[in-house]
């Protein structure tokens, strides 16, 4: 079966712009989580969506937002980009109870803010 | 803060040898899951092995096994018969309630031929 698909793979944006990243989970998976990976901060949890509702949220400013559609695909948006937002953004999908089946990650979107 | 610590930023092993990666964690929960993920240069996080905290038996997946010491909050990964394809960054992670993972800093594993 198809894995977790993240698009685009690479993005270059200018400071102050906004960006939208997409994540298509494994078929049947209803939970989608987002993580930011940077050399300095490592992997940090952004938020998790389940059945179109945000179920959990990390400690990120309000410039970071997300949503989930009825087909479980998820998008995350970052507004007013800052240089520090440059990172690899990973999404992970899981069944309704994540610990049962574990998390499957996509290959990420590499965002560079200049 | 409930953290996950990997004290070895880098490790190396000879092909066919065994290597152990260390991980300690902090939690106030009694029921939780622990994971080891592998991230090769392709960037995709690949699940290596998973341990349920309430299970006494250590998890095993082929050449990969864990030593789970719940009281010590220790969760080390042993890779036997190391292969060149095992070279990657390895992350230890703990799942908190609410389907979120807390990751360690990672251990870069090099496999020497």
């Amino acid at each position: 079966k198809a894995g977790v698909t993240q698009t685009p793979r690479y993005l270059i944006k200018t400071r102050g712009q906004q960006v939208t990243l997409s994540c298509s989970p494994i078929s049947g998976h209803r939970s989608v989580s987002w993580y930011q990976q940077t050399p300095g901060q490592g992997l940090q949890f952004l938020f998790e969506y389940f059945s179109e509702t945000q179920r959990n949220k990390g400690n990120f400013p309000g410039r970071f937002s997300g949503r989930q559609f009825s087909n479980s695909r998820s998008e995350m948006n970052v507004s007013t980009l800052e240089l520090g937002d440059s990172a690899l953004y990973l999404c992970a999908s899981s069944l309704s109870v994540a610990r049962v089946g574990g998390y499957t990650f996509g290959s990420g979107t590499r965002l560079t803010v200049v | 803060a409930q953290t996950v610590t990997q004290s070895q930023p880098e490790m190396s092993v000879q092909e066919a040898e065994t290597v152990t990666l260390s991980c300690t964690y902090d939690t106030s929960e009694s029921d939780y899951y622990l994971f080891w993920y592998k991230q090769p240069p392709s960037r995709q996080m690949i699940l290596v092995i998973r341990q349920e905290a309430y299970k006494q038996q250590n998890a095993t997946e082929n050449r990969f096994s864990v030593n789970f010491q719940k009281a010590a909050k220790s969760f080390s990964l042993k890779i036997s018969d190391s292969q060149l394809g095992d070279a990657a960054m390895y992350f230890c992670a703990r799942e908190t309630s609410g389907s979120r993972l807390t990751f360690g800093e990672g251990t870069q594993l090099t496999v020497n031929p």
Side-chain angles (χ1 to χ4, degrees):
Chain A
K1 59 183 177 182
V4 178
T5 302
Q6 290 190 248
T7 57
R9 289 270 291 174
Y10 300 92
L11 264 179
I12 300 176
K13 288 288 187 178
T14 303
R15 192 171 43 181
Q17 287 186 314
Q18 74 166 17
V19 67
T20 299
L21 313 181
S22 177
C23 173
S24 294
I26 289 175
S27 178
H29 283 193
R30 295 169 64 190
S31 170
V32 174
S33 304
W34 289 88
Y35 292 83
Q36 181 195 65
Q37 185 176 22
T38 60
Q41 298 297 317
L43 283 148
Q44 294 186 289
F45 172 79
L46 280 154
F47 30 63
E48 185 234 354
Y49 286 86
F50 177 76
S51 292
E52 303 178 63
T53 301
Q54 187 180 85
R55 194 162 61 171
N56 206 348
K57 188 177 188 304
N59 296 321
F60 277 82
R63 300 184 298 106
F64 292 81
S65 63
R67 59 177 174 169
Q68 186 179 35
F69 301 95
S70 58
N71 61 358
S72 293
R73 189 178 71 86
S74 177
E75 289 181 347
M76 71 162 276
N77 183 275
V78 188
S79 63
T80 319
L81 284 165
E82 300 177 359
L83 296 178
D85 297 333
S86 295
L88 178 66
Y89 289 89
L90 292 164
C91 102
S93 78
S94 63
L95 294 169
S96 57
V97 181
R99 51 184 52 186
V100 173
Y103 302 79
T104 303
F105 282 81
S107 294
T109 294
R110 171 77 68 187
L111 171 65
T112 301
V113 182
V114 298
Chain B
Q2 299 191 26
T3 58
V4 177
T5 302
Q6 294 177 247
S7 59
Q8 307 152 314
E10 299 176 345
M11 292 282 285
S12 63
V13 63
Q14 291 297 123
E15 196 174 3
E17 297 293 306
T18 295
V19 65
T20 298
L21 308 184
S22 301
C23 173
T24 58
Y25 61 93
D26 184 22
T27 184
S28 56
E29 301 173 18
S30 58
D31 183 22
Y32 51 91
Y33 278 56
L34 297 164
F35 303 85
W36 278 98
Y37 277 92
K38 162 186 175 181
Q39 188 177 40
S42 66
R43 307 180 331 200
Q44 185 171 15
M45 298 283 279
I46 300 166
L47 178 64
V48 174
I49 200 164
R50 176 178 60 191
Q51 175 75 45
E52 301 164 61
Y54 68 89
K55 286 189 175 179
Q56 299 286 347
Q57 188 173 7
N58 289 324
T60 299
E61 288 286 342
N62 301 312
R63 298 182 294 106
F64 299 88
S65 61
V66 299
N67 182 5
F68 173 50
Q69 302 290 328
K70 190 173 183 178
K73 294 180 180 171
S74 170
F75 182 60
S76 60
L77 174 69
K78 185 171 81 170
I79 306 174
S80 304
D81 186 25
S82 297
Q83 300 175 1
L84 295 178
D86 294 334
M89 182 72 86
Y90 285 80
F91 291 95
C92 174
R94 176 181 56 79
E95 185 204 41
T96 63
S97 57
S99 295
R100 64 189 288 177
L101 294 172
T102 299
F103 287 90
E105 306 90 336
T107 297
Q108 182 68 52
L109 178 66
T110 301
V111 181
N112 300 310

